[in-house]
């Protein structure tokens, strides 16, 4: 089920270059954070339930209850990651994909590259994700696949900030004395 989560905060973005977690397969990934009263909360709750009904049919309800109890849904309580800036008191979704996501600017057309300095951890974006039910040797879950990220607006950058812009550099002449 394809979803758009509007005006959510981007965290741990690996959207330009794939990364690996604990030596696993490399993938593009990001987390999207939002407060409890954000419309994304209801959208995700309803979508997770719909995906469960579609996957498990008449057996969906007990399976879904077990997924909720085991924190195996795409939506998570941010208090479980309160050690990270921005998570406490909020909810979040982790999404990943081996395929590079589409990354666009606020106009929806301009493709962004890493050198543009956005999107960055802490800014607000529109997240394009797809929920799917997993039922295999690794267990049952409802996961989120990362499809795209659209920059929406600036926010306070999470640890590390944004890279320096071109206008912050000046031309420097190099003397032989500077090389010593």
């Amino acid at each position: 089920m394809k979803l758009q989560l509007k005006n959510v905060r981007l965290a741990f973005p690996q959207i330009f270059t794939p990364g690996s977690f604990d030596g696993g397969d490399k993938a593009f990934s990001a987390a999207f954070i939002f407060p409890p009263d954000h419309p994304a909360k209801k959208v995700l709750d309803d979508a997770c339930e719909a995906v469960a009904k579609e996957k498990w049919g008449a057996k969906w309800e007990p399976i879904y209850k077990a997924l909720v109890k085991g924190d195996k849904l795409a939506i998570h309580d941010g208090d479980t990651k309160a050690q990270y800036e921005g998570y406490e008191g909020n909810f979040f979704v982790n999404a990943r994909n081996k395929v590079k996501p589409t990354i666009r600017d606020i106009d929806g057309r301009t493709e962004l590259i890493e050198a543009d300095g956005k999107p960055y951890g802490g800014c607000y974006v529109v997240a394009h994700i797809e929920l799917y039910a997993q039922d295999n040797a690794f267990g049952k879950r409802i996961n989120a696949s990362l499809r795209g990220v659209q920059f929406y607006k600036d926010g306070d950058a999470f640890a590390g900030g944004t890279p320096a812009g071109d206008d912050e550099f000046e031309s420097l002449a190099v003397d032989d004395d500077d090389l010593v």
Side-chain angles (χ1 to χ4, degrees), residues 12 14 21 52 54 65 78 113 123 128 162 167 174:
F12 298 107
Q14 289 190 314
F21 181 74
E54 182 179 321
K65 286 180 181 178
I113 60 172
C123 77
H128 295 261
T162 58
D167 61 336
V174 179

Side-chain angles (χ1 to χ4, degrees), residues 53-70:
K53 286 178 183 177
E54 182 179 321
K55 177 70 174 179
W56 294 293
K59 301 176 186 177
W60 82 271
E61 201 163 7
I63 293 171
Y64 189 77
K65 286 180 181 178
L67 295 178
V68 170
K69 186 175 182 180

Side-chain angles (χ1 to χ4, degrees), residues 86-99:
Y87 279 80
E88 188 172 8
N90 292 308
F91 285 90
F92 71 96
V93 173
N94 289 328
R96 62 183 310 243
N97 196 332
K98 290 181 181 180
V99 176

Side-chain angles (χ1 to χ4, degrees), residues 76-142:
H76 304 280
D77 184 339
D79 289 345
T80 63
K81 291 197 173 207
Q83 72 271 29
Y84 299 113
E85 187 179 349
Y87 279 80
E88 188 172 8
N90 292 308
F91 285 90
F92 71 96
V93 173
N94 289 328
R96 62 183 310 243
N97 196 332
K98 290 181 181 180
V99 176
K100 187 178 187 303
T102 303
I103 304 165
R104 300 277 190 245
D105 206 347
I106 193 167
D107 64 9
R109 297 185 179 169
T110 305
E111 185 172 345
L112 294 173
I113 60 172
E114 192 166 12
D116 292 321
K118 61 182 181 179
Y120 55 89
C123 77
Y124 292 84
V125 299
V126 176
H128 295 261
I129 64 171
E130 185 167 2
L131 295 186
Y132 66 95
Q134 168 188 312
D135 190 350
N136 56 26
F138 297 105
K140 293 176 173 65
R141 303 181 67 86
I142 295 178

Side-chain angles (χ1 to χ4, degrees), residues 5-87:
L5 307 178
K6 297 178 180 178
N7 195 20
V8 294
R9 201 155 181 216
L10 179 65
F12 298 107
Q14 289 190 314
I15 57 177
F16 295 105
T17 306
S20 177
F21 181 74
D22 287 339
D25 291 341
K26 286 190 174 194
F28 298 92
S29 62
F32 305 101
I33 305 170
F34 49 91
D37 60 349
H38 192 284
K41 173 74 167 90
K42 178 162 178 32
V43 166
L44 282 160
D45 286 342
D46 292 349
C48 283
E49 193 172 298
V51 167
K53 286 178 183 177
E54 182 179 321
K55 177 70 174 179
W56 294 293
K59 301 176 186 177
W60 82 271
E61 201 163 7
I63 293 171
Y64 189 77
K65 286 180 181 178
L67 295 178
V68 170
K69 186 175 182 180
D71 191 28
K72 305 231 181 213
L73 297 178
I75 185 171
H76 304 280
D77 184 339
D79 289 345
T80 63
K81 291 197 173 207
Q83 72 271 29
Y84 299 113
E85 187 179 349
Y87 279 80

